[in-house]
Amino acid sequence: MLYDCRSPADRDRGIAAAIEAVKNGELVVLPTDTVYGVGADAFTPYAVKALLDAKGRGRHMPPPVLIGSRHTLDGLVFSLPSAARDLVEAFWPGALTIVVEHSPSLQWDLGDKSGTVAVRMPLHPVALEVLRETGPMAVSSANKTGQPAAVTAEEARDQLSYSVRAYLEAGPCPDPVPSTIVDLTGEVPQLLRAGAIPLEKLRDVVPDLLDVGQGA
């Protein structure tokens, strides 16, 4: 079912349907500030598997986790590096994904890269409204692996079809550039993927950030 969140009534129905679907272990497509994402409850292993299956992706590429509040991050990690806190303070909500060591007590199974998780708080009101009710969600770009990322929910539906319970349409993504990914699990922060937030802005906050692509 596709809900047009540009209509207030449809938005309310769509968000309610998405929240119910996630809590039931089903998949939803929702807008973010980068591209549309397909998501599932991060703590329901069969739902995460359904997400990977829908995309045609294996366990070797675990999905990132989206959260609806900065405070949620403290519940997911054992110890958050100071550089991570500085980056979160500067760029969340927004197009920055950070890779951190998650708490060993968490009962989830996101894939084969045990011990670490990529986390982001998106800057989109629809996504945040859903996330604040569902809690952390495993979310990946709403497309089949190898196909273009969806910039509308309708494009996502063309690719993912009936594998998704609820599609939340909020119009075309205004700036469909993927999030920047920074790895904070080592001694020196590393830029893993260039994206919407440029390296120069990141280095304003974390001067010793290493661009592994450039080696400098």
Side-chain angles (χ1 to χ4, degrees), residues 67-86:
I67 58 177
S69 165
R70 292 180 188 174
H71 301 297
T72 305
L73 185 61
D74 291 322
L76 299 180
V77 299
F78 183 70
S79 178
L80 195 64
S82 60
R85 292 198 183 278
D86 292 342

Side-chain angles (χ1 to χ4, degrees), residues 27 38-53 55 57-67 73 76-77 97-104 106-120 135-140:
L27 304 185
V38 55
D41 178 18
F43 294 98
T44 303
Y46 69 81
V48 176
K49 182 180 184 302
L51 187 159
L52 294 174
D53 289 347
K55 284 182 62 72
R57 176 176 288 183
R59 287 175 53 82
H60 65 290
M61 295 182 70
V65 170
L66 295 191
I67 58 177
L73 185 61
L76 299 180
V77 299
T97 298
I98 60 171
V99 179
V100 292
E101 294 181 4
H102 67 71
S103 174
L106 289 181
Q107 298 297 309
W108 64 11
D109 181 10
L110 300 173
D112 290 339
K113 292 186 179 178
S114 60
T116 65
V117 62
V119 191
R120 186 165 89 86
M137 287 177 60
V139 179
S140 186

Side-chain angles (χ1 to χ4, degrees), residues 11-37:
R11 173 189 169 122
D12 290 345
R13 285 194 295 268
I15 287 175
I19 292 167
E20 181 182 10
V22 172
K23 290 183 175 179
N24 287 338
E26 297 175 291
L27 304 185
V28 299
V29 161
L30 68 170
T32 77
D33 47 338
T34 56
V35 295
Y36 276 72

Side-chain angles (χ1 to χ4, degrees), residues 105-204:
S105 63
L106 289 181
Q107 298 297 309
W108 64 11
D109 181 10
L110 300 173
D112 290 339
K113 292 186 179 178
S114 60
T116 65
V117 62
V119 191
R120 186 165 89 86
M121 180 182 175
L123 181 59
H124 196 288
V126 172
L128 290 174
E129 196 167 339
V130 173
L131 289 162
R132 283 168 183 155
E133 292 298 321
T134 62
M137 287 177 60
V139 179
S140 186
S141 56
N143 58 284
K144 293 280 191 183
T145 298
Q147 297 297 312
V151 296
T152 66
E154 193 164 348
E155 284 185 10
R157 186 172 62 175
D158 288 342
Q159 294 192 47
L160 301 175
S161 189
Y162 294 107
S163 61
V164 173
R165 176 72 177 196
Y167 289 86
L168 302 186
E169 179 68 82
C173 297
D175 190 19
V177 179
S179 67
T180 300
I181 303 178
V182 175
D183 184 351
L184 294 148
T185 61
E187 290 187 9
V188 180
Q190 295 187 349
L191 178 69
L192 295 187
R193 182 178 75 187
I197 300 173
L199 178 63
E200 296 74 24
K201 285 191 175 182
L202 296 170
R203 281 184 171 159
D204 285 342

